[in-house]
Amino acid sequence: MNHYRNILIAIDFSVHDHQVAQKARGLATQLNASLHIIHVLDNIPMPDTPYGLVIPLNEDSSYPLLESEKNKFKQISDKLDIEPGCRWLIWGEPQQEITRLAAQQQIDLIVVGSHGRHGLAVLMGSTAKDVMYHADCDVLAVHLPES
Ligand code: AMP
């Protein structure tokens, strides 16, 4: 059996990120795979920026909300020891951007939480399910507790 070579963690800045990220980190270490991380900006208004949908992480912007999201993303990515070139902060719709990036970066496993910011009412009913349905690669939905 071929091992996974490129693993992508999708984080939504919810309290569950730690659990999802630890599962992906553990797998990547065991399999000696590259670890990528994505957060899709779907909850702050998009400013009139000179760059496109992919946020350059090494440039400061004059948009405080974006800087705060970048800082959160940097902290999590640093903790997981993810290479700078494997960090993806992107404007858009989560399912679309996660599956688009996965295809573009030849990801062979996407790791998501079974639920997140959208809560339990839609357990496996939103991003996780949509990613599973649309991805061209395997998807691991990490089971999360109900609290
Ligand atoms: P939800 O759709 O809120 O139930 O989230 C399920 C899972 O999808 C989360 O645990 C994350 O792994 C992923 N996810 C949801 N929203 C985003 C987002 N904006 N960016 C990246 N991943 C996300």
Side-chain angles (χ1 to χ4, degrees), residues 15-68:
V15 291
H16 308 293
D17 278 347
H18 179 72
Q19 219 173 314
V20 177
Q22 286 310 314
K23 185 75 80 165
R25 173 79 270 172
L27 264 174
T29 304
Q30 271 175 32
L31 301 176
N32 201 20
S34 298
L35 193 54
H36 292 244
I37 188 166
I38 182 169
H39 174 70
V40 183
L41 294 163
D42 64 337
N43 63 341
I44 62 169
M46 188 176 175
D48 193 12
T49 54
Y51 33 78
L53 294 183
V54 181
I55 309 299
L57 296 171
N58 52 359
E59 277 175 33
D60 288 341
S61 74
S62 55
Y63 183 33
L65 270 179
L66 178 57
E67 287 310 302
S68 135

Side-chain angles (χ1 to χ4, degrees), residues 82-111:
I82 295 178
E83 298 278 325
C86 297
R87 301 176 181 193
W88 304 97
L89 187 62
I90 298 179
W91 296 103
E93 195 280 314
Q95 172 265 310
Q96 270 180 23
E97 294 309 319
I98 294 167
T99 51
R100 192 190 54 73
L101 181 82
Q104 189 195 71
Q105 295 297 315
Q106 283 144 20
I107 296 296
D108 38 29
L109 179 69
I110 302 172
V111 183

